[in-house]
């Protein structure tokens, strides 16, 4: 697949930046489990500390992003937790992933 043309990128969050700019517990109520249920501020703090312990500088903000990526067929090489985030995937001008 060609790497030229429109690309879609998913947002990511800088873990240390979030923790530096949000005083616990305020702001920590934005996190959810995979099933959509909200995390308590204590659970969110534990999650962020665990991500930091893994050496993850950034984490994906979308379920569309992971490593390995489910969009590998569209040119995505997978989420880079070391700071690069989402490398993007090829899309059509309408925003759809080409088949």
């Amino acid at each position: 697949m060609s790497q030229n043309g429109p690309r879609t990128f998913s947002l990511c969050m800088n873990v240390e930046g979030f923790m530096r700019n949000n005083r616990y517990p305020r702001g920590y109520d934005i996190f959810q489990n995979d099933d959509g249920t909200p995390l308590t501020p204590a659970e969110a703090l534990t999650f962020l500390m665990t991500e930091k312990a893994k050496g993850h500088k950034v984490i994906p903000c979308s379920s569309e992003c992971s490593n390995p990526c489910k969009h590998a067929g569209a040119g995505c090489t997978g989420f880079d937790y070391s700071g690069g985030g989402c490398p993007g995937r090829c899309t059509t001008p309408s925003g759809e992933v080409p088949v």
Side-chain angles (χ1 to χ4, degrees), residues 8-84:
T8 298
F9 297 88
S10 295
L11 295 175
C12 63
M13 181 183 76
N14 181 294
V15 176
E16 286 187 14
F18 177 86
M19 295 176 76
R20 181 177 54 251
N21 294 313
N22 290 277
R23 188 177 297 222
Y24 178 83
R26 185 176 170 199
Y28 282 71
D29 56 354
I30 65 167
F31 295 91
Q32 299 178 353
N33 284 310
D34 291 337
D35 64 5
T37 58
L39 293 177
T40 66
E43 291 169 328
L45 179 61
T46 299
F47 168 73
L48 292 172
M49 295 299 290
T50 302
E51 292 299 308
K52 273 184 69 170
K54 292 177 184 177
H56 293 174
K57 294 184 187 287
V58 294
I59 55 175
C61 291
S62 170
S63 62
E64 291 291 310
C65 235
S66 60
N67 195 343
C69 183
K70 62 184 174 182
H71 299 290
C76 183
T77 56
F79 190 83
D80 176 12
Y81 290 92
S82 69

